[in-house]
Every structure is written in C-alpha cells, then in structure tokens.
Amino acid sequence: MPASREPFPQPSGGPHTPVSSTRLSCPSCGSGHVAQMLGDNGGVSYVCTACGHSWS
C-alpha cells in the first residue's frame, strides 16, 4: 500500500462553509461570536458567546 502524503484526505470541494454569506453580529456588543440555538417554541434564537446577550 503506497504511503499517502495526506493522512486524512479532504473531500472534493474543500472545507464546509455556511450557505449564507451574511455574518451575524451581536446587537449588544457587536461581536461576531454568535451561536444559533433552538428557541423555546421551536423557533431559532441566537446567543453571543462573548457577552451572553440572546435574541431571536
């Protein structure tokens, strides 16, 4: 078996990137460190991992 230069070959197309090109930022502190989470009623909410502010 020939040795591969790459231990874990990458799938064609490169790394996975989000479909949306819009980057969310926190309305409170302006940070781009925003996580998407499931809301109480099944909707989508967001939380800033820098300051803890959440919104939907």
Side-chain angles (χ1 to χ4, degrees), residues 16-25 36 46:
H16 228 50
T17 54
V19 174
S20 172
S21 62
T22 317
R23 184 169 176 100
L24 289 172
S25 60
Q36 186 176 353
Y46 304 95

Side-chain angles (χ1 to χ4, degrees), residues 24-28 31 33-35 37 44-48 53-56:
L24 289 172
S25 60
C26 176
S28 182
S31 172
H33 296 277
V34 176
M37 61 184 193
V44 176
S45 296
Y46 304 95
V47 63
C48 176
H53 178 75
S54 60
W55 70 99
S56 54

